Amino acid sequence: MGKIADYLDSQQAAREERLFELLRIPSVSADPAHKDDVAQAAQWVADRIRGMGLEPEVIPTNGHPLVYAETPPVAGAPTVLVYGHYDVQPPDPLDEWITPPFEPTVRDGNVYARGATDDKGQMLTHLEGAAAVLATEGKLPLQLKFLIEGEEEVGSENIGPFIENNKDRLACDCVVISDSGQFAPGLPAITYGLRGIAYYEIFLTGPKQDLHSGSFGGAVTNPVNTLAKLLGSLTDDQGRIQIPGFYDDVVPLEQRERDEFAGLPFDEARFMKQLAVDGLSGEEGYTTLERRWARPTCDVNGIWGGYQGAGAKTVLPARAGAKVSFRLVPNQHPKDIYQALKQHLESQLPPGIKLELVDHHGGAGVKFPLDSPYMAAASKAIEQGFGTKPVFIREGGSIPIVDDFARKLDADVLLLGWGLDDDNTHSPNEKFCLADFHRGVRSSAALWLEMASAS
Amino acid sequence: MGKIADYLDSQQAAREERLFELLRIPSVSADPAHKDDVAQAAQWVADRIRGMGLEPEVIPTNGHPLVYAETPPVAGAPTVLVYGHYDVQPPDPLDEWITPPFEPTVRDGNVYARGATDDKGQMLTHLEGAAAVLATEGKLPLQLKFLIEGEEEVGSENIGPFIENNKDRLACDCVVISDSGQFAPGLPAITYGLRGIAYYEIFLTGPKQDLHSGSFGGAVTNPVNTLAKLLGSLTDDQGRIQIPGFYDDVVPLEQRERDEFAGLPFDEARFMKQLAVDGLSGEEGYTTLERRWARPTCDVNGIWGGYQGAGAKTVLPARAGAKVSFRLVPNQHPKDIYQALKQHLESQLPPGIKLELVDHHGGAGVKFPLDSPYMAAASKAIEQGFGTKPVFIREGGSIPIVDDFARKLDADVLLLGWGLDDDNTHSPNEKFCLADFHRGVRSSAALWLEMASAS
């Protein structure tokens, strides 16, 4: 690593400038108005890969394009597929950003921008890690395949079929993804489990138009009242989800995991202070880390109905709706949850209200074995990049594609996170610590050397 | 009435043109952007009154102005105060209007515009009725006092203190208000009871900013989930409001009233068809008319929280809120309901959520005696205007000022409605039947003659 490390040190400023370039592109995949920006980000990634001496392809899909490239196979060494995404979450609410979301700004050693850590910055560490090995050694000691998508924040709908139809091309022993976090600053983590997600939208329709709540209230069923009742019925007062059958397939936490989580330096008071809340709540009988990482949830992500303007409008609304998502754990499946939710909602629907339940996207939760040779190689590589051994944790967020890789390519997945808990992913003022960016790049370069001898 | 009726017939076109002029002014009192338009509507009303030969005053308040005028006292005849309002509800949702809300358009004998029936059109019938008597007779056989306000749709906050401070000036035997409806087309009604209203806004605050629902969901209390649970707790599955003490002061329906309502030609199937709903719901044990007119309600008028844009954003929202109002019946009082609601909400607030409960406006419900001489005079006048005797009904909507008039001026209030159930007050495509406009004017002219001999 000596020569590579020297090279990496000499390239810090240029590497940061490349990161900022990518962050300036507002590649918001959820918003059709940003379609061209998303395409521009894909092109940027392809150009970077071409700059490493590889031959990238920008592959069109029914949605946003994939970027793909590979290095030559190396006899006796494994093949590793690197996955990441160049699309980002919408930046709303805009007025809460200190500096604009697509003007990367450095403050206190962090770069602030939408996508800084999720996932442009983290994804880029692996391009830069491989670039450093190529620049210093002329070749890689193993085969790498890069597959970078632009629809992670809207459900990764097109990459699944692509993997299904390109199993030979994408064949690999292991998949590496950096789209998660360290456990704490300076305490890097390998995430061996992720929650899945099932995201739905509820639309309720009552009378054909908004009515006067005085003349009609009390007799005409109010869609917002109904929505509140339906959403309220999803959980009990102990935080347990009340949809019949919801917990049927849940793999319970092992005692070993509960012990490991309990041993982590998690400071609940600091966590609450960081979020500015005076208390926490959740499923009774589980710790905060267990609730965040390894138990299923129900969160209303958005709700609307009736008059939202200033002042008091005495209206009985015609319509109401909500976006509702469930974080899933192994072995829950989104399609089962859809059926159970639909039945639960329909069984409670009052007269005069019509229900539509839209299935937005979903993915199962995953858990990988802690004793694989790839896990060991990753642990050694991270120790070289960060100067300390990683801890093994789970994560509450979802990368639906991980389950696809594991099942369709029959590969282990290594989730190596360089982010931090307070990076504000999906929130205003998203950031990425630049020192961690460089440590991530060093870990990535070391990873390709360590993985070459793992099998 | 012969000469007056002839005069009225000859003036139809000019009268309609005056109505359209007033309807073109977008006097939306709830929206600060329309402040000048509201002032312009006040000026229009004053100009019309001046056109009748009276000396109107435009009286500034802390909000929108009042318009006041009076005719000379007549010995031996009662003094009648006419109340109405020139402000209108917001026109949203705009895209559901067939023709723009402030471009009055006649279709099938109706004029379509925001405020057509609520209350510009109805209020104007009394100016035009008095104008006709003045134009033909030279004077009125009783004293009239006109008090027209511009804040009815935002809670009539400033007229209350004005009445309080001007009891001598406003002293009268009876108040006449047309801001309600006929029972059915061709079946005019005198409304002897109104529901009150208590309108609140709930603001819930959770974490300091929107969070990633994967990383934080399950442990951080979600304000939208909480809001749904709180709103869902306001009623039970039988439509009974669950706030402790809510029904304590409710005056129950008399059997005589229940019998009268049951005898009215109310077609529930037609009612549902009109609203395009396949069922109705409400408080168990009461008929649809009883639920609409004489039982208290709880309606969520608006709700917001989290991501409302297109697609799926996996966010745990920082904030959520709802506008919630209760229709009240005699003898419930908004201040008591506020306390009871606040306590009910606070008692259920989970850790990590802060509650703010804003009291928007309120007014008590009222009921007037059916056997007064003014009620008899009104019945005779309406028979002359509409060609049929009125029925006596109650109404679910609120005119908070009615309670003020009754208590502060110690006067009976006559609620003479010319509107129809499907006039879309507070909804897109509000309308007023032009034939009823003219019948209302004729009834009003007759009313001043009949009232002159009532005492």
Side-chain angles (χ1 to χ4, degrees):
Chain A
M1 271 295 285
K3 201 164 73 176
I4 299 172
D6 290 346
Y7 174 82
L8 286 174
D9 287 347
S10 73
Q11 291 288 311
Q12 287 208 11
R15 204 154 61 231
E16 287 180 9
E17 191 37 56
R18 284 193 290 273
L19 170 59
F20 300 165
E21 253 183 53
L22 178 55
L23 291 175
R24 283 188 195 103
I25 306 171
S27 49
V28 180
S29 50
D31 187 344
H34 283 291
K35 193 174 191 304
D36 291 348
D37 298 315
V38 179
Q40 194 197 334
Q43 195 54 56
W44 189 97
V45 171
D47 290 346
R48 176 66 192 112
I49 290 174
R50 188 170 295 106
M52 294 159 58
L54 311 184
E55 295 292 343
E57 274 182 76
V58 176
I59 302 167
T61 71
N62 287 331
H64 302 299
L66 296 163
V67 182
Y68 182 76
E70 59 181 52
T71 61
V74 177
T79 295
V80 174
L81 188 145
V82 175
Y83 164 85
H85 64 94
Y86 62 81
D87 65 319
V88 301
Q89 279 277 314
D92 325 59
L94 278 176
D95 58 1
E96 294 188 14
W97 286 78
I98 293 166
T99 50
F102 298 107
E103 294 177 20
T105 307
V106 177
R107 291 194 296 277
D108 298 330
N110 300 304
V111 57
Y112 285 82
R114 171 57 85 229
T117 186
D118 179 15
D119 179 48
K120 287 173 172 175
Q122 295 205 71
M123 177 268 287
L124 205 53
T125 60
H126 294 300
L127 298 188
E128 295 288 341
V133 178
L134 285 166
T136 48
E137 308 291 330
K139 63 182 170 52
L140 288 159
L142 80 181
Q143 182 178 33
L144 288 187
K145 297 178 174 180
F146 292 101
L147 181 61
I148 314 297
E149 73 151 319
E151 301 188 302
E152 199 273 343
E153 301 294 3
V154 288
S156 297
E157 281 193 17
N158 289 297
I159 196 172
F162 179 81
I163 297 169
E164 186 68 42
N165 296 331
N166 291 273
K167 283 182 183 171
D168 289 345
R169 192 181 190 188
L170 302 176
C172 61
D173 300 288
C174 185
V175 176
V176 167
I177 303 176
S178 288
D179 196 13
S180 48
Q182 304 176 57
F183 182 72
L187 189 55
I190 296 179
T191 303
Y192 70 94
L194 288 172
R195 290 197 291 201
I197 189 170
Y199 199 113
Y200 308 110
E201 194 155 2
I202 298 170
F203 295 92
L204 297 185
T205 309
K208 66 175 178 179
Q209 61 190 8
D210 289 357
L211 302 175
H212 190 302
S213 67
S215 303
F216 296 91
V220 176
T221 317
N222 181 322
V224 189
N225 288 36
T226 303
L227 184 62
K229 271 224 174 294
L230 291 179
L231 295 175
S233 81
L234 295 177
T235 51
D236 67 10
D237 290 340
Q238 285 71 47
R240 300 252 324 163
I241 291 158
Q242 296 299 294
I243 301 167
F246 183 83
Y247 291 99
D248 284 0
D249 298 323
V250 166
V251 173
L253 269 157
E254 296 168 41
Q255 192 53 49
R256 183 174 65 101
E257 298 181 275
R258 303 190 78 165
D259 293 344
E260 281 172 5
F261 296 172
L264 289 167
F266 176 65
D267 182 342
E268 197 153 290
R270 184 176 158 275
F271 178 72
M272 289 197 289
K273 201 176 162 195
Q274 222 172 43
L275 304 173
V277 294
D278 60 9
L280 299 168
S281 69
E283 190 185 2
E284 216 169 66
Y286 293 92
T287 67
T288 297
L289 286 185
E290 289 166 351
R291 288 168 173 173
R292 293 174 64 195
W293 291 350
R295 293 296 300 173
T297 69
C298 166
D299 273 297
V300 187
N301 307 103
I303 194 166
W304 57 267
Y307 184 66
Q308 302 187 0
K313 189 177 184 195
T314 48
V315 74
L316 192 162
R319 283 174 291 277
K323 297 170 196 274
V324 186
S325 63
F326 300 85
R327 295 288 163 170
L328 307 181
V329 299
N331 285 326
Q332 293 179 294
H333 289 284
K335 293 294 164 206
D336 302 338
I337 303 297
Y338 177 85
Q339 288 308 331
L341 173 64
K342 191 155 192 244
Q343 202 168 332
H344 178 73
L345 296 177
E346 281 173 350
S347 73
Q348 298 175 84
L349 213 60
I353 299 287
K354 290 191 185 70
L355 166 77
E356 191 192 354
L357 183 64
V358 171
D359 191 350
H360 268 301
H361 68 76
V366 290
K367 235 174 96 174
F368 295 102
L370 287 165
D371 51 7
S372 78
Y374 308 118
M375 211 63 92
S379 181
K380 283 189 213 159
I382 290 172
E383 197 174 353
Q384 292 168 64
F386 281 78
T388 182
K389 271 192 207 311
V391 292
F392 289 84
I393 64 172
R394 288 170 71 166
E395 153 64 30
S398 313
I399 314 180
I401 196 64
V402 167
D403 185 53
D404 261 12
F405 283 129
R407 283 187 300 104
K408 291 179 183 161
L409 302 182
D410 191 22
D412 270 18
V413 180
L414 287 178
L415 299 163
L416 314 177
W418 322 134
L420 290 175
D421 234 23
D422 65 349
D423 276 345
N424 299 328
T425 57
H426 295 216
S427 298
N429 304 308
E430 181 176 346
K431 70 169 173 66
F432 191 25
C433 167
L434 285 171
D436 287 334
F437 174 56
H438 298 301
R439 289 184 193 115
V441 174
R442 207 154 52 225
S443 300
S444 172
L447 183 64
W448 310 140
L449 307 186
E450 293 291 342
M451 294 280 278
S453 51
S455 66
Chain B
M1 269 295 286
K3 199 163 74 174
I4 297 174
D6 291 346
Y7 174 82
L8 286 172
D9 288 345
S10 74
Q11 291 289 312
Q12 287 208 9
R15 203 154 62 232
E16 288 179 9
E17 191 37 56
R18 284 194 289 274
L19 170 59
F20 300 166
E21 253 183 53
L22 179 55
L23 291 175
R24 283 188 196 104
I25 306 171
S27 48
V28 181
S29 51
D31 187 344
H34 283 290
K35 192 171 189 309
D36 289 349
D37 298 315
V38 178
Q40 194 196 335
Q43 195 52 57
W44 190 96
V45 171
D47 290 347
R48 176 67 193 110
I49 290 174
R50 187 170 296 107
M52 294 159 59
L54 310 184
E55 294 293 341
E57 271 182 76
V58 176
I59 301 167
T61 72
N62 286 331
H64 302 297
L66 296 162
V67 182
Y68 182 77
E70 59 181 52
T71 61
V74 176
T79 295
V80 174
L81 187 145
V82 175
Y83 164 85
H85 64 95
Y86 62 80
D87 65 320
V88 300
Q89 278 277 314
D92 323 60
L94 278 175
D95 58 1
E96 295 186 13
W97 285 79
I98 293 166
T99 49
F102 299 107
E103 294 177 20
T105 307
V106 177
R107 292 193 296 277
D108 298 330
N110 300 303
V111 57
Y112 285 83
R114 169 58 84 230
T117 187
D118 178 15
D119 179 45
K120 286 173 171 175
Q122 295 203 71
M123 176 268 288
L124 205 53
T125 60
H126 294 300
L127 298 188
E128 295 289 341
V133 178
L134 285 167
T136 48
E137 308 291 330
K139 61 180 168 57
L140 288 161
L142 77 181
Q143 182 177 36
L144 288 186
K145 298 178 174 180
F146 293 101
L147 181 62
I148 315 295
E149 73 153 319
E151 301 187 303
E152 199 272 345
E153 302 293 3
V154 289
S156 296
E157 282 192 17
N158 290 296
I159 197 172
F162 179 81
I163 297 169
E164 187 66 43
N165 297 330
N166 291 274
K167 283 182 183 172
D168 288 347
R169 189 179 193 189
L170 302 176
C172 60
D173 300 286
C174 184
V175 176
V176 167
I177 304 177
S178 288
D179 196 12
S180 49
Q182 303 176 56
F183 182 74
L187 188 53
I190 297 179
T191 303
Y192 71 94
L194 287 172
R195 291 196 290 199
I197 188 170
Y199 199 113
Y200 308 111
E201 193 155 2
I202 298 171
F203 294 92
L204 297 185
T205 308
K208 67 176 177 178
Q209 61 190 6
D210 289 357
L211 302 176
H212 189 302
S213 67
S215 304
F216 296 91
V220 177
T221 317
N222 180 323
V224 189
N225 287 36
T226 303
L227 183 62
K229 271 223 175 294
L230 292 179
L231 295 174
S233 80
L234 295 178
T235 52
D236 67 9
D237 290 340
Q238 284 72 48
R240 299 254 321 163
I241 291 158
Q242 296 299 295
I243 300 168
F246 183 83
Y247 291 99
D248 283 1
D249 299 322
V250 165
V251 173
L253 269 156
E254 297 168 42
Q255 191 55 47
R256 182 175 65 102
E257 298 181 273
R258 303 191 77 165
D259 293 344
E260 280 171 6
F261 296 172
L264 289 168
F266 176 66
D267 182 342
E268 196 154 291
R270 183 177 158 274
F271 179 72
M272 290 197 288
K273 199 176 164 194
Q274 222 172 40
L275 304 174
V277 294
D278 59 10
L280 299 169
S281 69
E283 190 185 3
E284 217 169 67
Y286 293 92
T287 68
T288 296
L289 286 185
E290 289 167 352
R291 289 168 173 173
R292 293 175 63 195
W293 291 350
R295 292 298 299 173
T297 69
C298 166
D299 273 297
V300 187
N301 308 102
I303 195 167
W304 57 268
Y307 183 66
Q308 301 186 0
K313 189 178 184 196
T314 48
V315 77
L316 192 162
R319 283 173 291 278
K323 296 170 196 274
V324 186
S325 63
F326 301 85
R327 295 288 163 171
L328 307 181
V329 299
N331 288 324
Q332 294 180 294
H333 290 284
K335 294 294 166 205
D336 302 338
I337 304 296
Y338 177 85
Q339 289 307 332
L341 173 64
K342 192 155 192 242
Q343 201 167 333
H344 178 72
L345 296 176
E346 281 173 350
S347 73
Q348 300 176 83
L349 213 58
I353 299 287
K354 289 190 187 70
L355 165 78
E356 191 193 355
L357 184 63
V358 171
D359 192 349
H360 268 300
H361 66 78
V366 290
K367 238 174 94 174
F368 294 101
L370 287 165
D371 51 6
S372 78
Y374 308 119
M375 210 65 91
S379 182
K380 282 188 215 158
I382 290 173
E383 196 174 354
Q384 292 169 64
F386 281 79
T388 181
K389 271 194 208 308
V391 292
F392 289 84
I393 63 173
R394 288 171 70 166
E395 154 62 31
S398 313
I399 313 179
I401 196 64
V402 167
D403 184 52
D404 261 12
F405 283 128
R407 282 187 300 106
K408 293 179 181 162
L409 302 183
D410 191 24
D412 271 17
V413 181
L414 288 177
L415 299 163
L416 315 177
W418 322 135
L420 291 175
D421 232 23
D422 65 350
D423 276 345
N424 300 326
T425 57
H426 294 216
S427 298
N429 303 309
E430 181 175 347
K431 68 168 173 66
F432 190 26
C433 167
L434 285 171
D436 286 333
F437 174 57
H438 298 299
R439 289 183 194 116
V441 174
R442 205 154 52 225
S443 301
S444 172
L447 183 64
W448 311 139
L449 307 187
E450 294 292 341
M451 294 279 280
S453 51
S455 65

